[in-house]
């Protein structure tokens, strides 16, 4: 069985288990994880199934406050939930989902032009509406609310597994206070939709006729909602949110509680600064000085590299000039006025900020200062190793990586192996160099890579690839690659993508990352590479036919220009194959990158059609390069 067959079989098996699992819930009613797995023993041991079932993606699956799972269609079919309209909702035919409609959002698949559930921001842009309060909204067919007025009561019912719109009048006034009191501890908080599902299981007559909107019922019972959560009136949602976020950060980044608290506090402070900066122009440096000076020891726990990385990843992953300016100001003040133990982390954070602001030499100085504060501080060592590689100094880059625990496992370490200077032990330092330049070995090639290796373009391209996997760009790269590898984690996507396939190449060029690379690294790159990189900016992908392969190179025929070109390095594919690739010209040869073998002439035609578009769609290009909808068809 091939790998594809293995994947297909695994997917089919998972689908069978999911179908059987939901059927069991529909038949047996709410079940705990252990009870649920026991009913499915024919698919494997209960302990193994419990691991599979714990985080399902089935939309009809509900999780109850008592820890049990339930099939939502068996609980909600035929019920109706009401909602009072606002002028914004009437004008846009979009309903705020929280809290009134939360329990039935699983039914808004929106097929065949029916009522659908969407993210509020996307729906608002689609309909040209003002922002909504809820994270998710219910999008009605245009014109549905045309005859309604502000304050009118409408209903959404679940009919045959779909949402149906109704004009309604209240027929009942249920008092849910006693039932809610039994579900909630004194300071407890629960998911609003889960609470409703539990109430329905205890009293199936609820919501069989139109009643007041959930928000009004909860308010009358002494409860309030926020961020799709429900608690007794007076509950501190902000403190709860902070507690949950801190615990999640600690778990995700393997931090202590104090480290997670410091990381979250730093990010929150930066967020407040960003809001102030957007609302009113103010002195960011003075603002940072006042906040850091007020409590210089508060962020001492950021001294741990993991905590500093968490700060950058959580608060500054997306590139933004204002955000970066705030990070620079806060980190610089922390480096100057904070405790000595946090200086390495502060200089690293400041370096990350000024690098993104286009001041790479200042970034390098910050990283060097981080090492003066703590010589083995890993993140700063890694940044300086990348800078050394960008300069073409593989020896220094490897030396810096060697000072990091696990540095030999980095992608950069593997890349550098191809560009390490060749030793010539037969030559003395003052002997003439082996390359024939006539200069002494010590001033020519001692400790340096052969210039011919640098001139073939491979190292330059890989420098750009490594730059693309910086945190501010990795979402773009993995987002494109996820079109083909939807079930891989981010780390798995990076491992599968780096230096290979169309996704990374399209992200670099059509996604604009290569232009950023050249703009931000030109001060480090050798002059010849800057010239080469500038020439690469306007090069588009094309479709090529492999004509001939040999030890001296690969001959390709461009299907657009009908010209042949010889590539100086091995290319995936055999004579007669069609490939999608980008051909980059270096001083000593041509280089084919982002190579994908086409499965058919029709696929090649679709790729060429996408490439011919004036406004090239990066996602469509990757999708078609990877095979589109019928990549298994071979009509060549």
């Amino acid at each position: 069985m091939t790998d594809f067959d293995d994947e297909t079989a695994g997917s089919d098996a998972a689908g069978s288990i999911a179908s059987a699992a939901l059927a069991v819930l529909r038949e047996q009613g709410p079940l705990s994880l252990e009870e649920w797995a026991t009913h499915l023993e024919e698919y494997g041991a209960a302990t193994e199934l419990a691991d599979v079932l714990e985080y399902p993606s089935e939309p009809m699956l509900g999780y109850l406050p008592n820890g049990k799972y339930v099939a939502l269609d068996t609980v909600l079919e035929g019920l109706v939930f009401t909602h009072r309209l606002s002028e914004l909702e009437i004008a846009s035919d979009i309903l705020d989902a929280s809290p009134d409609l939360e329990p039935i959002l699983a039914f808004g698949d929106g097929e065949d032009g029916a009522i659908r559930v969407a993210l509020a921001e996307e729906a608002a842009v689609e309909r040209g509406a003002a922002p909504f309060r809820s994270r998710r909204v219910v999008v009605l067919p245009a014109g549905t609310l045309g005859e309604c007025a502000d304050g009118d009561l409408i209903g959404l019912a679940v009919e045959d597994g779909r949402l149906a719109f109704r004009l309604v009048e209240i027929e009942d006034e249920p008092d849910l206070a006693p039932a809610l009191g039994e579900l909630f501890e004194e300071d407890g908080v629960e998911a609003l939709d889960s609470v409703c599902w539990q109430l329905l299981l205890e009293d199936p007559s609820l919501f069989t006729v139109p009643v007041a909107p959930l928000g009004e019922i909860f308010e009358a019972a002494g409860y309030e909602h926020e961020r799709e959560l429900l608690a007794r009136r007076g509950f501190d949602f902000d403190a709860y949110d902070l507690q949950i976020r801190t615990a999640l950060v600690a778990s995700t980044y393997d931090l202590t509680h104090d480290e997670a608290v410091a990381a979250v506090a730093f990010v929150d402070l930066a967020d407040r600064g960003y809001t102030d900066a957007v609302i009113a122009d103010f002195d960011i440096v003075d603002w940072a000085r006042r906040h850091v000076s007020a409590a210089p020891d508060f962020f001492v726990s950021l001294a741990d590299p993991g905590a500093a990385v968490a700060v950058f990843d959580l608060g500054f992953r997306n590139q933004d000039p204002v955000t970066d300016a705030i990070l620079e100001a806060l980190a610089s003040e922390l480096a100057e006025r904070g405790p000595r133990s946090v200086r390495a982390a502060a200089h690293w954070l400041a370096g990350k900020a000024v690098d993104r602001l286009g001041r790479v030499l200042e970034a390098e100085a910050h990283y060097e200062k981080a090492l003066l504060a703590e010589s083995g501080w890993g993140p700063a060592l890694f940044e300086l190793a990348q800078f050394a590689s960008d300069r073409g100094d593989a020896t220094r880059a490897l030396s810096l990586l060697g000072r990091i625990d696990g540095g030999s496992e980095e992608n950069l370490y593997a890349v550098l192996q191809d560009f390490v200077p060749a030793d010539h032990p037969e030559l003395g330092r003052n002997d003439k160099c082996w390359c024939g330049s006539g200069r002494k070995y010590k001033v020519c090639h001692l400790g340096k890579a052969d210039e011919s290796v640098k001139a073939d373009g491979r190292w330059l391209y890989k420098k750009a690839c490594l730059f693309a996997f910086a945190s501010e760009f990795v979402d773009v790269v993995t987002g494109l690659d996820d079109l083909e590898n939807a079930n891989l984690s981010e780390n798995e996507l990076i491992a599968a993508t780096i230096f290979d396939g169309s996704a990374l190449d399209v992200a670099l060029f059509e996604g604009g990352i290569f232009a950023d690379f050249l703009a931000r690294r030109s001060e480090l790159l050798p002059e010849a590479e800057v010239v080469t990189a500038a020439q690469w900016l306007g090069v588009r992908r094309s479709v090529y036919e492999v004509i001939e392969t040999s030890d001296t190179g690969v001959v390709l025929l461009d299907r657009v220009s009908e010209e042949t070109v010889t590539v100086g390095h091995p290319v995936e594919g055999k004579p007669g194959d069609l490939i999608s690739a980008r051909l980059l010209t270096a001083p000593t040869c041509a280089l084919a990158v982002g190579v994908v073998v086409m499965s058919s002439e029709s696929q090649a035609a679709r790729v060429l059609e996408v490439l011919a578009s004036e406004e090239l769609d990066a996602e469509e290009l990757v999708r078609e390069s990877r095979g589109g909808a019928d990549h298994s068809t071979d009509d060549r």
Side-chain angles (χ1 to χ4, degrees), residues 327-408:
L327 175 59
E328 179 192 4
L330 285 174
S332 296
E333 287 298 321
L334 193 59
E336 182 178 347
R337 304 175 191 279
R340 183 178 182 83
S341 62
V342 82
R343 287 179 187 172
H347 277 298
W348 178 77
L349 286 168
K352 295 291 285 185
V354 297
D355 179 15
R356 299 205 307 194
L357 289 168
R359 290 142 48 197
V360 66
L361 298 182
E362 287 185 43
E364 188 173 38
H366 273 296
Y367 299 145
E368 296 286 5
K369 289 177 182 178
L371 297 187
L372 288 176
E374 187 174 336
S375 61
W377 212 76
L381 286 167
F382 181 78
E383 299 293 345
L384 289 172
Q386 285 224 139
F387 284 3
S389 173
D390 289 339
R391 282 195 164 97
D393 192 344
T395 301
R396 171 167 165 74
L398 286 169
S399 175
L400 289 163
L401 287 176
R403 292 163 58 183
I404 304 173
D405 185 23
S408 62

Side-chain angles (χ1 to χ4, degrees), residues 295-549:
D297 295 329
F298 185 76
F299 298 111
V300 66
S301 294
L302 295 182
D304 178 78
V309 169
V311 163
F312 185 78
D313 201 33
L314 292 168
F316 308 95
R317 183 164 177 147
N318 296 320
Q319 194 169 0
D320 179 274
V322 177
T323 300
D324 291 333
I326 288 171
L327 175 59
E328 179 192 4
L330 285 174
S332 296
E333 287 298 321
L334 193 59
E336 182 178 347
R337 304 175 191 279
R340 183 178 182 83
S341 62
V342 82
R343 287 179 187 172
H347 277 298
W348 178 77
L349 286 168
K352 295 291 285 185
V354 297
D355 179 15
R356 299 205 307 194
L357 289 168
R359 290 142 48 197
V360 66
L361 298 182
E362 287 185 43
E364 188 173 38
H366 273 296
Y367 299 145
E368 296 286 5
K369 289 177 182 178
L371 297 187
L372 288 176
E374 187 174 336
S375 61
W377 212 76
L381 286 167
F382 181 78
E383 299 293 345
L384 289 172
Q386 285 224 139
F387 284 3
S389 173
D390 289 339
R391 282 195 164 97
D393 192 344
T395 301
R396 171 167 165 74
L398 286 169
S399 175
L400 289 163
L401 287 176
R403 292 163 58 183
I404 304 173
D405 185 23
S408 62
E409 299 174 8
E410 295 286 348
N411 285 314
L412 176 59
Y413 184 91
V415 167
L416 292 170
Q417 301 312 302
D418 290 335
F419 308 106
V420 176
D423 288 331
H424 288 267
E426 75 280 6
L427 295 177
R429 291 172 55 83
N430 293 312
D431 290 340
K432 287 186 177 181
C433 189
W434 56 269
C435 72
S437 67
R439 293 181 296 173
K440 291 180 180 181
Y441 180 42
K442 66 181 180 182
V443 297
C444 190
H445 267 98
L446 179 60
K448 301 176 183 176
D450 183 353
E451 290 302 317
S452 65
V453 174
K454 295 181 180 180
D456 67 7
R458 288 180 299 144
W459 197 355
L460 173 59
Y461 187 76
K462 290 189 175 184
K463 291 174 185 179
C465 291
L466 291 165
F467 177 83
F469 279 95
S471 60
E472 63 263 37
F473 301 118
V474 71
D475 287 343
V476 176
V477 180
T478 55
L480 286 173
D481 201 59
D482 198 40
L483 295 171
E484 182 72 7
N485 300 296
N487 295 320
L488 296 184
S489 68
E490 181 175 291
N491 288 336
E492 290 170 331
L493 278 170
I494 292 172
T497 302
I498 195 160
F499 316 131
D500 186 35
S502 61
L504 175 57
D505 182 69
V506 171
L508 278 172
F509 289 90
E510 282 72 28
I513 299 175
F514 191 84
D516 281 341
F517 165 71
L518 180 57
R520 285 172 48 183
R521 292 293 178 265
S522 59
E523 291 184 272
L524 302 181
L525 295 172
E527 185 177 347
E529 287 191 345
V530 174
V531 173
T532 299
Q535 294 170 345
W536 287 359
L537 282 174
V539 178
R540 275 203 170 193
R541 293 177 67 86
S542 189
V543 172
Y544 301 88
E545 181 180 347
V546 180
I547 302 299
E548 180 184 342
T549 62

Side-chain angles (χ1 to χ4, degrees), residues 17-33 35-37 39-40 53 56 58 60-64 68-75 201:
I17 293 175
S19 297
L22 201 57
V24 166
L25 281 182
R26 287 176 176 136
E27 181 180 337
Q28 300 293 330
L31 296 171
S32 68
L33 193 62
E35 294 168 340
W36 197 14
H39 284 282
L40 295 165
L53 299 172
E58 167 58 53
M60 286 299 113
L61 196 62
Y63 186 70
L64 301 172
K68 293 189 175 185
Y69 293 85
V70 65
L72 295 180
D73 47 3
T74 62
V75 177
L201 288 167

Side-chain angles (χ1 to χ4, degrees), residues 37-61:
T38 300
H39 284 282
L40 295 165
E41 286 183 340
E42 65 181 283
Y43 291 93
T47 53
E48 296 174 356
L49 285 168
D51 292 336
V52 175
L53 299 172
E54 191 168 5
Y55 300 105
S57 58
E58 167 58 53
M60 286 299 113
L61 196 62

